Amino acid sequence: MESLYYVLSWACHRRCKHCYESRFRPYVRGALQKVVDEAKATFPKVIANLPDELSYLDLNAPSETAPGGYEHRASRIILAGGEVLVDPVREEVLYPALDAIREKYGAQGVRVIVQTTGDLVTPQIVEDLLARGAWMISCAGMDDFHVGMEGDKRLPLQDRLREMFEAAGMRDSALASTTRNWNEQTQDQPVYSFFGATEDAWIGKIWPRGRAWENSLSKATITDNFCNAWSGGLGFLNRGYSGSEVSIDPNGDVFPCCLKTAAPLGNLCEERLADILDSLTGHPAFEAISMGHPERMGLAQGWDLNRFLEESRTTRPDGQPYRNLCIGCDRYFEKVLGPELARLREARLAAKRAAE
């Protein structure tokens, strides 16, 4: 895979109205300990069931000399929340997970990104993250939806963060919010970045998910294909090549996109990621998602384009009509793919038991 987006924990110190996942929120006392304990029990199993070797061939960098005909690059693992820097997630989950990833992949040069809202970062935390192998600290709370970050209000925080990062020997990654220019980062020096749900970003129209949906904030229409973009389902089955990414929830569930389909593809607490993806390769519905054309996922099961587009209609909580391909995808998963995913899972587990 080019990239793994691993949500370590549901815990967050904010309850943002535009959040794509309602479970990202503050937890206290026993509820906080419960989500922390889930993450502590899960992350070792998830990491164990990731591929032993993480790398990919960059289809945007053909080479006459490189094996396979393309430049060979180390993959990325993005550790996110929620907010991974809140206590006790930082000490009990994030730091041990970083240590486990470094033990498994450190010699391979896999780049680890820690994603945070930014407002909990301290010089000591920066030092701790770098000491555990973090290559990038990505501050994702730089938008008008995060309270206190509206417009120019976020500039003082960005200035403080830059000062902290650069004092620790980090440099600005200069990553663009509208293009995937990760491979321009050829130096080993650790980097930092800022982004948020701004108009120029790929998430600027707001995903129809979680509290964003509950608050009727999505501005996406039927012409906005979130699937056919980075962090969507595009390329998720192209394991070993650029563009391949999956999203992993704190309980180990695997999804083809950060937005998350209505049902998971499998669970990394019980299966290897490679086995899950191999079982989906060639399946018409999942190949359609991987090609960035969710509207074609039901063609083999009688859902023609007209049916899918009609299923993409709904009404927002504020009573306004809404149309987006994510809605059609949700309904196809709920009405058709649920039993199919269960059948595929049982076949994988049966094969696993037979091999033991």
Side-chain angles (χ1 to χ4, degrees), residues 89-245:
V89 174
R90 183 183 69 254
E91 297 287 345
E92 297 187 34
V93 182
L94 174 61
Y95 288 171
L98 284 168
D99 291 338
I101 290 170
R102 182 171 55 177
E103 181 177 354
K104 183 168 184 173
Y105 296 118
Q108 299 180 27
V110 171
R111 288 176 163 177
V112 180
I113 294 94
V114 174
Q115 188 170 297
T116 169
T117 56
D119 51 332
L120 297 184
V121 177
T122 66
Q124 184 61 56
I125 288 175
V126 173
E127 181 180 329
D128 292 342
L129 293 175
L130 296 181
R132 288 171 170 81
W135 169 71
M136 173 187 285
I137 301 175
S138 182
C139 300
M142 305 298 147
D143 57 53
D144 292 343
F145 293 100
H146 284 85
V147 176
M149 301 294 170
E150 303 90 343
D152 290 345
K153 291 182 181 179
R154 56 182 171 265
L155 297 182
L157 173 61
Q158 289 179 338
D159 289 341
R160 291 197 302 273
L161 288 168
R162 283 193 184 92
E163 183 177 352
M164 276 189 275
F165 294 147
E166 291 175 6
M170 304 177 73
R171 62 180 176 83
D172 190 339
S173 68
L175 284 172
S177 61
T178 54
T179 59
R180 283 177 51 239
N181 59 337
W182 289 90
N183 292 329
E184 296 175 12
Q185 310 301 312
T186 56
Q187 301 179 34
D188 290 331
Q189 180 182 0
V191 296
Y192 63 90
S193 68
F194 301 123
F195 76 97
T198 53
E199 291 293 334
D200 62 333
W202 79 102
I203 53 173
K205 292 193 174 181
I206 307 298
W207 297 333
R209 290 289 187 268
R211 281 192 296 276
W213 178 254
E214 295 163 9
N215 292 317
S216 300
L217 292 179
S218 177
K219 295 179 289 183
T221 69
I222 194 64
T223 64
D224 295 298
N225 185 351
F226 289 117
C227 195
N228 193 32
W230 184 247
S231 290
L234 183 66
F236 88 96
L237 285 179
N238 295 342
R239 192 156 52 92
Y241 296 93
S242 54
S244 54
E245 181 184 64

Side-chain angles (χ1 to χ4, degrees), residues 30-43:
L32 175 59
Q33 194 57 53
K34 183 177 180 180
V35 296
V36 171
D37 287 345
E38 176 190 43
K40 288 171 64 176
T42 300
F43 84 78

